[in-house]
Amino acid sequence: MGTVYVTQDDSFIGKIDERLKVKVEKNTILDVPLIKVDGLVVMGRATVSPDAIAQLIERKIPLTFLTINGKYLARLESEMSKNIFVRSAQWKSDGESPKAIHVAQGFVRGKLKNYRTALLEAQRRYSELDLGANIAQLRNAIASVDKATSIDSIRGHEGAGSAAYFGCFDGLIRIDDFRFETRNRRPPTDPVNSLLSLGYSLLRHDIQGALNIVGFDPYLGYLHTERYGRPSLALDLMEEFRPLIVDSVVLKAINLRRLKISDFVTEPVSNAVSLTKEGLHTFLRLYQEKKQDKFTHPVMKKQYTYQESFEIQARLLAKYLMGEVDKYTPLILR
């Protein structure tokens, strides 16, 4: 089952025997064994019973609250992992330490290389696209990241590489009704940005859960600066997964016509764009399916799902920070 998403306003989430039940106006809309639930995400208004909360905490199932547009609100989970050694190594590497610079390089290298792979695949698939200049810019940004000696410079090269990627993202969209001009958020004001923002919020939930399992403090990152309430390490580890999961799902939803323009609505005051209920269910289903896709992990040399790879990457990061391996290897797929 994986992550359960509750999107119906005024739902009641309860626990009966060993099952999680979701009801709306006394009608059961979901009934699933708790043993099959890895996470619970509430989007919009819902009531969670004390018994259900107790079971989620006892079973270490994180509960995340998002707005219906995917904006993060809050998170509830069990006691932090008892692995103090991971957190100790994490804190000792804070700042501009050699380990902090190394892992920041890894996060950005993984993201930019996966961006480049996506553009190379699009170039092969759509011969009329001319992505050569953008691919070259990404190649240069990757080379610069590997030579960087400070985290600020790594951030600068990451920005240049992301600009090259999103500068041609509109060409990856093959349906005329959808356009992408530039990345915007808070709030997203077009359908494509709406999907990207929603997908990144869902990914943050999954990555933060993996970091908690391994024993990290998700609020102390290296690439992303420290800010009150900001899970910087979750945002760090997300980087290499953004193109592999979220961008891929967004392009699939649009290009295979799983979503239509009629699946989006615009708020009259803020101009924020969001999905209708039906569109949201479609997108969540595609995201869940993507997380279950299998691939051969380049380090582990075995088949894993993307869902499993969240924790694998978190454990590889822990091993590096604790000195058990000599480098952190981001997830890069070709």
Side-chain angles (χ1 to χ4, degrees):
M1 182 71 186
T3 304
V4 171
Y5 300 94
V6 178
T7 62
Q8 181 69 48
D9 276 342
D10 301 318
S11 298
F12 178 81
I13 304 168
K15 176 256 178 186
I16 298 179
D17 297 326
E18 299 300 310
R19 306 180 71 85
L20 189 72
K21 289 201 174 188
V22 183
K23 292 185 176 183
V24 178
E25 297 179 350
K26 299 184 179 181
N27 296 317
T28 299
I29 62 173
L30 181 69
D31 183 349
V32 60
L34 276 160
I35 196 171
K36 292 186 177 181
V37 179
D38 296 326
L40 176 61
V41 177
V42 175
M43 305 182 71
R45 300 190 308 271
T47 300
V48 189
S49 74
D51 197 19
I53 290 174
Q55 277 297 303
L56 293 172
I57 292 173
E58 182 177 328
R59 293 171 180 267
K60 302 186 186 303
I61 300 171
L63 168 60
T64 300
F65 293 91
L66 307 176
T67 68
I68 199 64
N69 298 330
K71 181 181 177 182
Y72 179 85
L73 294 175
R75 184 179 176 94
L76 176 67
E77 54 196 323
S78 59
E79 180 185 14
M80 186 178 288
S81 164
K82 297 179 175 62
N83 195 340
I84 186 60
F85 303 109
V86 170
R87 290 191 295 282
S88 176
Q90 179 186 4
W91 281 94
K92 286 176 181 176
S93 301
D94 189 25
E96 291 283 331
S97 72
K99 284 191 174 181
I101 292 172
H102 173 81
V103 297
Q105 286 174 316
F107 298 140
V108 173
R109 184 189 309 112
K111 176 183 182 178
L112 298 186
K113 284 194 172 183
N114 287 328
Y115 276 167
R116 186 181 63 183
T117 297
L119 296 191
L120 288 169
E121 289 179 354
Q123 185 78 85
R124 288 192 292 268
R125 186 177 300 125
Y126 311 118
S127 57
E128 71 278 12
L129 287 180
D130 183 8
L131 304 178
N134 303 78
I135 293 169
Q137 290 172 35
L138 277 166
R139 187 181 302 113
N140 292 336
I142 293 165
S144 298
V145 165
D146 290 338
K147 297 174 184 175
T149 57
S150 73
I151 293 178
D152 270 347
S153 63
I154 295 170
R155 293 187 188 110
H157 300 313
E158 183 276 332
S162 294
Y165 172 73
F166 281 113
C168 62
F169 196 75
D170 187 61
L172 309 186
I173 298 171
R174 312 305 293 174
I175 304 300
D176 290 340
D177 289 344
F178 291 85
R179 306 295 301 175
F180 179 87
E181 293 183 4
T182 187
R183 183 78 178 99
N184 64 70
R185 47 189 180 153
R186 300 192 187 100
T189 55
D190 62 78
V192 178
N193 274 291
S194 173
L195 295 179
L196 290 170
S197 293
L198 173 59
Y200 296 149
S201 292
L202 301 175
L203 182 60
R204 169 184 163 172
H205 161 84
D206 289 322
I207 296 293
Q208 189 168 341
L211 290 170
N212 287 334
I213 289 171
V214 175
F216 281 107
D217 178 346
Y219 293 92
L220 176 69
Y222 302 106
L223 179 65
H224 289 82
T225 55
E226 296 170 17
R227 185 184 301 170
Y228 185 84
R230 180 189 204 178
S232 296
L233 190 64
L235 299 178
D236 285 356
L237 191 57
M238 275 177 58
E239 295 290 9
E240 59 206 65
F241 287 101
R242 287 174 184 259
L244 295 175
I245 299 179
V246 177
D247 299 3
S248 174
V249 169
V250 169
L251 291 171
K252 178 180 181 179
I254 295 172
N255 291 340
L256 295 186
R257 302 181 187 274
R258 302 292 181 84
L259 291 173
K260 306 179 294 297
I261 284 294
S262 58
D263 290 313
F264 296 85
V265 293
T266 303
E267 294 293 330
V269 177
S270 66
N271 291 320
V273 173
S274 60
L275 283 163
T276 63
K277 286 288 185 183
E278 295 76 13
L280 178 59
H281 293 162
T282 297
F283 187 80
L284 292 175
R285 184 168 60 252
L286 291 173
Y287 179 78
Q288 281 285 75
E289 290 172 357
K290 183 65 178 181
K291 289 196 298 180
Q292 298 310 311
D293 280 355
K294 288 191 173 183
F295 64 94
T296 300
H297 193 283
V299 174
M300 309 303 290
K301 307 300 182 185
K302 290 175 59 179
Q303 287 263 310
Y304 291 98
T305 65
Y306 284 108
Q307 179 78 56
E308 293 168 327
S309 70
F310 300 150
E311 186 176 337
I312 290 172
Q313 292 305 120
R315 292 196 180 281
L316 290 175
L317 178 60
K319 285 181 177 293
Y320 171 70
L321 293 176
M322 295 175 69
E324 296 177 13
V325 294
D326 60 1
K327 64 179 180 178
Y328 170 70
T329 304
L331 181 60
I332 299 170
L333 297 184
R334 294 177 173 82

